[in-house]
Amino acid sequence: MTEKIITYLKSHKKKLVLSILLLGGGYYWYQSSQTKSVPTQYVLGKAFRGDLVVSITGTGQVEALSQIDIKPKSTANVVAVLAKEKQAVKAGDAIMQLDNKELKNQASQAKNSVDSARASLNLKIAGPTREDLAVSQKSVDSAKLSYDSAKTSFEYTKQTAEQALKKAQQQYDSAKVQYQNSLSGQPVTDNSNSQALENAYDNAKNSVSSAMLSLRSALVSADSVLGIDRTATFPDKTLLGVMNSQTMSDSQTSYLVAKESLAALDARYQSVSISWNRAQEEELLDMTMDTLQKMKILEHNVYQLLLNTITASSLSQATLDSYRQAASSQESSMLSALNSTQSSKQSITNAKLNFSSSDLSSKNSAASAKSAWESAQSAYDQAQLDNKKTLDSAQTDLASKKLSYENSQAQYALKVAKPRPEDLASLRAQLSQAENSYSLALENLAEAKIVSPIDGVIAKIALKVGDEAVPATAVATVITQSQVASITLNEVDAARVKTGQKAMLTFSAIDGLSISGVVGSVDTIGTVSQGVVSYGVKIVFDTQDERVKPGMSVSASVITDRKSGAVMVANSAIKSDGNSSYIEILSGADATAADTGTPITSPNLPERKTVQIGLANDTETEITQGLNDGDVVILSTVSSAAKTTTSPTNTRGGFGVFGGGSRN
């Protein structure tokens, strides 16, 4: 029987596979048809205005003891005793005055912190002033001008360097050929020496022309800081050289010297530029080297002036650094040009020597040619070093000016940008913290005057003027005819309870009875039991009820804070992201759903809205900013899920059907 089944399966393998696939697909379709998608639902609520009460609850017993020990909150000397023993007092009457000089200082410092935090927040909200933007824009314009100038200078320096290197290469090649000719027995002809001399003078002329451009650029660059002959682009000249006034004097003097030397050079240059003779070229070379040296001194003095300049709101560090880099770059440029002109002068000297010794013997000619070749080699090597140094300096200057320009643009964009919600939230949090510290400082200052928390009679005055009051020791004892509830609180709750705070008392033995009271004392030293610290609190009844007996269990709710007319929402609506809080709203939602609490669906996704929170209790949270009375918010979200309905008549899969059929 088994063999027949196996044979049947092998012969109908394709049909069987197809049947399995069809049955499996049918089952999947059936199950999918039973699955219902449940859309996301939202439970809405409304912001509302009302009185927000923050309270702390504790339990204890009614005491027969009717006296309250009054203890100070801080250590200080007694400066005045304002009541006597056996004197009747009312709640709030002064009993003793402690030294409050330090507390006044703390309150004053806390007030300054509040003013500073509020000013920072207001400045952030108001944004930059017109003057601030003008200064920032001027920094951008100045940085752009420096950057554009650096780009032009870099391109010019690059071209000049390429030309100088090319000329040095030509001189080297010419000297090498002459030396090789001298070794092969060919005389160094007058024509070749004459051409070498001509080339030397042509190179000198080009060096002078190139130096003239560099000198004019350097003088303009220095005057952009000093502002002697034209309006300075430097943001604030009053800050120049304030750390060493001599640097300003040195810079101004060297500017006039360099300017005069350049003027004389320029005049001579213009007078002979059409047709130069060799004597005039050598004269211009000497004048050019002298002017380059003076201009180099000027740029060095300007750099020293900028090193002794300080930054301020009108002059950023980035801007000052860009001017320092420009002066340093100009000084390097003058040095490079000076080396180039000196090299040209040496080339003329060498060419003259070669030309005058052309009639010497072949041996002498070879020695002279070798010396000229070595000199040309040295000049070429120096030109390579000078060009690399000049290009590196110009490239560095260009990169620095670009960075300064981009930084100034970023600083300007930062000034004009609107403050981010998280920035405002952080500043508001700082203000709130400062205000809390100020409130605490005022409370501490007020507590330097020790008052009776209840109506009664002073049974004991424990200290006199000059004695030191400490928190652990009672300074006075007041006897009261009112009943007292003694409760215990944990260390977290006890830190928020102070004498004079109102409380509501209820009694498990007396249904419906509620009596108001006032906190009379709070232990300053806790009691440790099994690792838990607790503090005793005594609450004096405002009214008496004969049903209340000593030893009865009592529950007290101490009101630690209250806010009237606060806009608040249920705690479930508040969410947090880092240091900021937010609520979610649903655009287009039906506001009536917030009144009924019925979950709703919506095609719109929730939108986040940043809020500023204030007081909070176990059920509601105050919204100080970002929400108005009546605004609809999301209290909770029911996430979407797939709900599958299974038929009770068939719980088997598609393969189960096939298995049942095989039993025949």
Side-chain angles (χ1 to χ4, degrees), residues 474-492:
V475 299
T477 301
V478 178
I479 297 176
T480 177
Q481 298 300 320
S482 300
Q483 290 175 305
V484 176
S486 179
I487 66 171
T488 57
L489 297 175
N490 62 47
E491 56 185 318
V492 176

Side-chain angles (χ1 to χ4, degrees), residues 579-595:
N579 294 327
S580 63
S581 299
Y582 68 94
I583 52 94
E584 290 183 324
I585 59 176
L586 198 60
S587 178
D590 186 359
T592 58
D595 298 324

Side-chain angles (χ1 to χ4, degrees), residues 259-391:
K259 175 187 174 184
E260 181 180 1
S261 180
L262 178 58
L265 173 62
D266 190 48
R268 185 58 177 158
Y269 179 80
Q270 297 296 333
S271 67
V272 301
S273 59
I274 297 177
S275 177
W276 297 9
N277 58 45
R278 292 178 175 178
Q280 291 171 334
E281 288 183 20
E282 292 187 36
E283 177 191 4
L284 282 172
L285 266 179
D286 291 336
M287 292 181 67
T288 300
M289 286 189 290
D290 180 64
T291 304
L292 284 169
Q293 182 63 35
K294 292 174 179 176
M295 196 66 71
K296 177 178 173 294
I297 293 173
L298 167 61
E299 295 299 338
H300 177 76
N301 288 341
V302 170
Y303 181 74
Q304 292 298 319
L305 171 67
L306 293 170
L307 284 180
N308 287 278
T309 298
I310 62 174
T311 58
S313 59
S314 57
L315 176 63
S316 68
Q317 185 64 50
T319 301
L320 178 58
D321 289 343
S322 69
Y323 276 94
R324 289 174 178 171
Q325 179 62 37
S328 176
S329 177
Q330 289 291 353
E331 184 180 1
S332 297
S333 178
M334 294 301 99
L335 178 61
S336 177
L338 185 60
N339 290 335
S340 178
T341 52
Q342 287 174 338
S343 177
S344 297
K345 185 175 179 65
Q346 183 62 43
S347 295
I348 291 176
T349 301
N350 292 338
K352 281 183 176 180
L353 180 62
N354 291 336
F355 184 74
S356 62
S357 61
S358 61
D359 56 346
L360 296 178
S361 64
S362 175
K363 180 177 179 180
N364 290 338
S365 296
S368 177
K370 181 179 181 181
S371 176
W373 181 33
E374 291 174 346
S375 176
Q377 174 71 62
S378 178
Y380 177 69
D381 292 342
Q382 185 62 45
Q384 285 184 309
L385 293 175
D386 291 343
N387 290 346
K388 184 179 185 305
K389 182 178 179 181
T390 301
L391 286 175

Side-chain angles (χ1 to χ4, degrees), residues 16 104 121 145 156 254 373 483 526 544 553 558 627 629:
L16 288 172
K104 284 183 177 179
L121 176 60
L145 180 63
Y156 171 75
S254 57
W373 181 33
Q483 290 175 305
Q544 306 302 308
S553 298
V558 181
L627 207 59
D629 183 15

Side-chain angles (χ1 to χ4, degrees), residues 76-83 94-101 103-104 444-451 464-467 469 475:
N77 290 332
V78 178
V79 296
V81 177
L82 306 174
I95 296 177
M96 196 174 290
Q97 177 66 52
L98 304 182
D99 188 358
N100 60 5
K101 291 180 181 178
L103 296 175
K104 284 183 177 179
N444 292 336
L445 180 60
E447 289 171 354
K449 178 180 285 188
I450 298 177
V451 300
K464 62 182 183 297
V465 174
D467 290 344
V475 299

Side-chain angles (χ1 to χ4, degrees), residues 360-516:
L360 296 178
S361 64
S362 175
K363 180 177 179 180
N364 290 338
S365 296
S368 177
K370 181 179 181 181
S371 176
W373 181 33
E374 291 174 346
S375 176
Q377 174 71 62
S378 178
Y380 177 69
D381 292 342
Q382 185 62 45
Q384 285 184 309
L385 293 175
D386 291 343
N387 290 346
K388 184 179 185 305
K389 182 178 179 181
T390 301
L391 286 175
D392 288 346
S393 176
Q395 183 70 54
T396 301
D397 181 53
L398 179 61
S400 175
K401 296 293 177 55
K402 181 181 180 182
L403 181 60
S404 297
Y405 178 44
E406 292 173 347
N407 286 340
S408 65
Q409 287 180 309
Q411 290 293 332
Y412 182 79
L414 188 61
K415 280 185 178 294
V416 300
K418 292 183 178 180
R420 300 178 302 172
E422 51 267 35
D423 292 336
L424 294 179
S426 176
L427 290 173
R428 290 191 178 102
Q430 293 174 18
L431 175 59
S432 177
Q433 183 178 1
E435 289 174 337
N436 291 337
S437 298
Y438 180 48
S439 298
L440 180 60
L442 291 179
E443 290 178 7
N444 292 336
L445 180 60
E447 289 171 354
K449 178 180 285 188
I450 298 177
V451 300
S452 175
I454 58 173
D455 296 346
V457 176
I458 297 177
K460 182 181 179 181
I461 299 291
L463 300 178
K464 62 182 183 297
V465 174
D467 290 344
E468 184 180 62
V470 294
T473 305
V475 299
T477 301
V478 178
I479 297 176
T480 177
Q481 298 300 320
S482 300
Q483 290 175 305
V484 176
S486 179
I487 66 171
T488 57
L489 297 175
N490 62 47
E491 56 185 318
V492 176
D493 290 342
R496 298 165 57 190
V497 175
K498 297 178 177 60
T499 57
Q501 290 176 336
K502 299 297 291 183
M504 294 303 297
L505 307 169
T506 57
F507 309 87
S508 57
I510 308 173
D511 292 338
L513 178 61
S514 178
I515 295 177
S516 64

